[in-house]
Amino acid sequence: MEVQDPQGYVRNTGPGFSLGLFGHGDLDKSRICDHDKTIREKLLAYPWVKTLLRVGVNGESEFDMAPQRRLAYEADFKLKAINHAKQHGNRDAAREFNINESVVRKWRQQEDDLCLAEKTKKSFHGHKARWPRLEDRLERWISEQRAAGRSFSTIAVRIQAKAIANEMGIEDFKAGPSWCFHFMKRQQLSICTRTKVSQRLLADYEEKLAMFRSYCKSKIAEKNIQAKHIINMDKVPLTFDVLLIQSVEQTRAPMVPVHTTGNKKSLFTVVLSGSLDGQKLSPMVIFKRKTFPKDKFPDGIVVAVNPKG
């Protein structure tokens, strides 16, 4: 039975459980006395009480509440809840960490995976391997290729996966791009660019660049040189050993070395030029030999050789 005192507080005067302890409407705005407030806080510690209040006695909502937002907990938090549950039980851990008891049971089933995961990992979402033995063999093949310094693309990975599937007698395996993407994600693989050591700029390069520009401007004005006679040239050494600059490698690998076929020092030079008025000159290819090669080159390319070989 519920009565209302002169101050407007709702009191529970009868025995048993009554919704009068919680008033009507929002719980935080309910006007109840301090005595009933203590009882309310104790009852709200039980999840089934909150559920009963939401549903109501006749199946109707007793008061409107905003939809609860699903929370994602980190692996470190889950392991703390698991350790507490081992010592004091699942129900006590649920009250201590303000979670549902079923969540504690689920986390205890995932304890082995949580111990191996990063502390900040929140979930184990992702596609599970349909052919784990095939992926294990493919992962070993990738490790062997990278240990030998060989570079390869995802197409080579798919071809090798298809070959392994044929050896294992797997007929419904297609080795498509989507499977390759999820396989690399499961094995923590990614496409990495070949690392190399580059030259560092000088500390005073900006000052020297400004001096060079002023020198060029003074000479152009002094000699009255036209724009079509001012040419910018750049030579690029190329190798006959064409290397892949990217390869499949472990994610966040500090170095991505790539072995060559041994012809890395067999070079030829390509010269690209352009005049100040915007005209592009024909590219020039210079071979490190005394005689001209017998191969036929495309039109519009200037071929030259080095007299010194």
Side-chain angles (χ1 to χ4, degrees):
M1 179 179 178
E2 299 177 3
V3 296
Q4 187 173 2
D5 58 11
Q7 298 179 353
Y9 293 104
V10 178
R11 296 297 302 267
N12 177 28
T13 60
F17 176 76
S18 172
L19 297 180
L21 288 172
F22 305 93
H24 296 279
D26 192 357
L27 286 179
D28 296 333
K29 298 179 182 179
S30 300
R31 302 184 62 191
I32 58 178
C33 65
D34 295 336
H35 174 73
D36 288 341
K37 186 180 297 184
T38 304
I39 301 176
R40 184 191 67 170
E41 292 176 355
K42 292 182 178 180
L43 289 174
L44 286 177
Y46 296 93
W48 63 269
V49 176
K50 296 181 180 179
T51 304
L52 184 60
L53 288 173
R54 295 192 188 98
V55 176
V57 179
N58 297 325
E60 298 179 356
S61 178
E62 182 68 20
F63 51 83
D64 296 332
M65 293 185 63
Q68 289 187 347
R69 183 179 178 182
R70 297 188 62 181
L71 300 177
Y73 300 95
E74 296 181 352
D76 187 43
F77 179 86
K78 297 177 182 178
L79 291 175
K80 292 180 180 179
I82 292 173
N83 294 332
H84 188 91
K86 289 181 178 179
Q87 299 176 4
H88 307 284
N90 296 344
R91 183 174 299 178
D92 189 81
R95 288 195 296 265
E96 177 69 20
F97 292 88
N98 195 22
I99 54 179
N100 197 289
E101 184 180 355
S102 62
V103 176
V104 179
R105 292 195 299 267
K106 180 181 179 181
W107 289 352
R108 296 191 66 173
Q109 295 175 358
Q110 300 175 347
E111 182 178 4
D112 295 337
D113 296 334
L114 290 172
C115 293
L116 299 176
E118 298 181 359
K119 292 183 178 180
T120 57
K121 188 175 181 62
K122 294 185 177 181
S123 61
F124 293 102
H125 293 170
H127 296 265
K128 295 184 179 180
R130 184 178 176 183
W131 302 278
R133 293 178 54 194
L134 184 149
E135 293 192 3
D136 291 341
R137 290 184 54 180
L138 183 61
E139 197 275 334
R140 289 195 298 268
W141 177 83
I142 293 175
S143 300
E144 293 174 357
Q145 299 298 315
R146 291 303 307 138
R150 301 186 182 95
S151 61
F152 50 90
S153 63
T154 55
I155 297 178
V157 174
R158 293 166 54 191
I159 294 174
Q160 182 64 22
K162 188 65 176 178
I164 295 175
N166 293 334
E167 294 178 2
M168 298 177 63
I170 303 176
E171 298 180 355
D172 56 343
F173 179 72
K174 298 182 180 180
S178 178
W179 169 86
C180 185
F181 170 79
H182 292 104
F183 162 74
M184 294 177 61
K185 191 173 182 180
R186 284 190 293 269
Q187 302 295 334
Q188 296 185 353
L189 299 172
S190 59
I191 301 296
C192 302
T193 303
R194 178 171 60 95
T195 55
K196 59 181 180 180
V197 180
S198 59
Q199 295 180 351
R200 295 183 178 180
L201 297 175
L202 299 176
D204 56 345
Y205 82 97
E206 293 183 354
E207 180 181 355
K208 292 185 177 181
L209 181 61
M211 294 174 58
F212 176 75
R213 287 178 177 176
S214 61
Y215 172 79
C216 292
K217 289 181 180 180
S218 62
K219 289 298 180 180
I220 292 173
E222 179 183 350
K223 301 295 183 179
N224 193 18
I225 303 175
Q226 299 181 6
K228 64 179 181 180
H229 294 155
I230 302 175
I231 300 175
N232 182 23
M233 300 178 59
D234 190 12
K235 60 180 181 179
V236 181
L238 299 178
T239 176
F240 292 98
D241 188 2
V242 180
L243 300 177
L244 292 175
I245 62 174
Q246 293 181 335
S247 177
V248 177
E249 180 59 282
Q250 289 290 336
T251 304
R252 298 179 183 176
M255 296 291 294
V256 186
V258 176
H259 285 190
T260 65
T261 60
N263 297 322
K264 185 177 180 179
K265 296 184 179 180
S266 300
L267 305 175
F268 63 94
T269 304
V270 176
V271 181
L272 303 177
S273 307
S275 60
L276 187 58
D277 60 354
Q279 182 181 2
K280 294 182 180 179
L281 304 182
S282 300
M284 176 182 290
V285 180
I286 304 175
F287 292 98
K288 192 177 180 181
R289 52 187 295 176
K290 295 182 179 180
T291 59
F292 283 89
K294 298 181 180 180
D295 300 289
K296 185 178 180 181
F297 293 90
D299 297 335
I301 297 179
V302 179
V303 181
V305 294
N306 191 347
K308 296 183 181 180

